[in-house]
Amino acid sequence: MTVHQTIDRPVFPAETLARMAELYPAEAGLIHHHLPDHPLLSIEALARLGEALPAGAAEYNPGDLPVGIRPEDIPSNGLSIGETIRTIDTNGSWAVLKNIEAIPEYRALLMKLLGELEPVVLPRTGAMLTPQGFIFISSPGSITPFHFDPEHNILLQLRGSKVMHVWPAGDERFAHRIEHERYHSGGHRNLPWQESFRSAAQQVPLAAGDAVLMPVMAPHFVANGDASSISLSITWRSEWSYRESEAHAANAALRRFGIDAAMPPRWPRHARVRSLGWRVARKLRVVK
């Protein structure tokens, strides 16, 4: 791909950075962006991107899924990734293109956006590690099932509308420590769903020009609006987020010996002993 477009003003205005400074990294919340219509983010460009990425970097399925579903129960939509994206207005599907930073033009866009956030991020969680980008393309009414993710994340809504339903990160009423241990031991991101959770959700409506800041491992699901949707997710890790992951993995190892270890603390605290122990055990190949 050789499509280029200069972005001649900040994508994140001063008021967005000020609001992010209030929220980051512990709380979810609505912010705003000025990302213009960009040739890299058109439907045809995204279809070509999906066809260019490795097979494992494109995930797509029917969009009319229940909020809670096991990954093995998700059916195929019977289309290729290119067909899924090009006919997203009418095919009732959902797709995500992962690790778009593998393509130089998309990496440049991702790094430009993340660079604008550094003044807020660096004083709080340090260096922005492992930058990654994801693009979501959804048919009207699609559901992204209940799950969590290990990255610091801002989801920019580019086209259409959706509602993010999010629950507090680290609250075991909605994602028990065993689910964290399962995930950080190589399990799937989807979480068990109970309808009683719904009333406790923070709902963040998103239209084009809106964005939502998402904390690490905050349980959430997404309900698309009545038109097709494109969203760009820009993510990064921090030393703190890696330490939390390691502490959950250490807890999983302890559980195999019958020890039910406590949930690791949330930012700014660390489970330092467990994360360090996990690093040492990995280095010595005591655990996998």
Side-chain angles (χ1 to χ4, degrees):
M1 293 186 180
T2 57
V3 177
H4 297 280
Q5 175 172 308
T6 301
I7 300 174
D8 56 7
R9 65 169 177 166
V11 170
F12 298 108
E15 55 268 28
T16 285
L17 296 182
R19 178 59 176 154
M20 184 176 170
E22 296 172 356
L23 297 168
Y24 181 79
E27 297 180 53
L30 178 68
I31 55 178
H32 304 284
H33 69 86
H34 293 319
L35 185 62
D37 291 337
H38 197 290
L40 288 174
L41 301 171
S42 70
I43 285 291
E44 181 56 32
L46 296 178
R48 293 197 302 268
L49 174 62
E51 292 165 340
L53 287 170
E59 182 180 342
Y60 54 103
N61 48 252
D64 58 344
L65 298 178
V67 171
I69 187 170
R70 298 183 305 173
E72 60 268 29
D73 293 336
I74 297 175
S76 168
N77 69 356
L79 304 172
S80 69
I81 184 59
E83 292 169 330
T84 296
I85 294 172
R86 290 186 177 96
T87 62
I88 199 67
D89 287 344
T90 59
N91 64 26
S93 295
W94 171 94
V96 58
L97 304 179
K98 307 175 185 180
N99 302 119
I100 63 171
E101 70 280 356
I103 306 299
E105 294 83 356
Y106 287 91
R107 181 173 182 83
L109 176 60
L110 172 67
M111 298 310 292
K112 193 271 190 241
L113 300 180
L114 292 181
E116 292 188 20
L117 305 176
E118 281 191 337
V120 175
V121 172
L122 290 179
R124 292 164 176 81
T125 56
M128 301 174 81
L129 308 175
T130 322
Q132 294 179 314
F134 305 83
I135 300 176
F136 298 87
I137 308 100
S138 309
S139 293
S142 294
I143 295 291
T144 305
F146 189 53
H147 70 286
F148 51 23
D149 301 298
E151 305 92 359
H152 303 279
N153 177 18
I154 295 179
L155 181 78
L156 291 79
Q157 189 66 15
L158 306 176
R159 166 179 158 178
S161 65
K162 58 180 52 172
V163 178
M164 177 73 74
H165 300 73
V166 57
W167 286 259
D171 190 325
E172 290 194 79
R173 293 176 298 167
F174 310 113
H176 193 270
R177 72 190 76 170
I178 292 175
E179 294 300 324
H180 288 264
E181 294 166 17
R182 176 190 57 77
Y183 175 80
H184 289 292
S185 300
H188 196 270
R189 64 182 181 269
N190 283 11
L191 291 167
W193 168 254
Q194 297 179 30
E195 192 60 32
S196 60
F197 293 170
R198 193 180 293 269
S199 62
Q202 175 186 355
Q203 297 187 28
V204 185
L206 300 170
D210 293 333
V212 59
L213 175 67
M214 293 292 292
V216 169
M217 302 304 285
H220 60 284
F221 78 84
V222 187
N224 208 50
D226 58 5
S228 57
S229 167
I230 300 175
S231 308
L232 169 64
S233 183
I234 60 173
T235 78
W236 64 99
R237 298 295 299 268
S238 63
E239 179 65 16
W240 175 84
S241 78
Y242 278 121
R243 285 184 178 273
E244 188 195 49
S245 297
E246 291 160 352
H248 283 300
N251 281 2
L254 291 171
R255 188 173 299 281
R256 292 195 288 272
F257 291 97
I259 301 171
D260 182 15
M263 187 84 162
R266 295 292 297 175
W267 185 88
R269 297 163 58 209
H270 292 283
R272 296 183 185 276
V273 173
R274 277 174 284 176
S275 64
L276 178 60
W278 182 254
R279 292 183 183 189
V280 171
R282 290 291 299 271
K283 188 172 182 178
L284 298 176
R285 298 184 180 181
V286 175
V287 295
K288 295 181 179 180

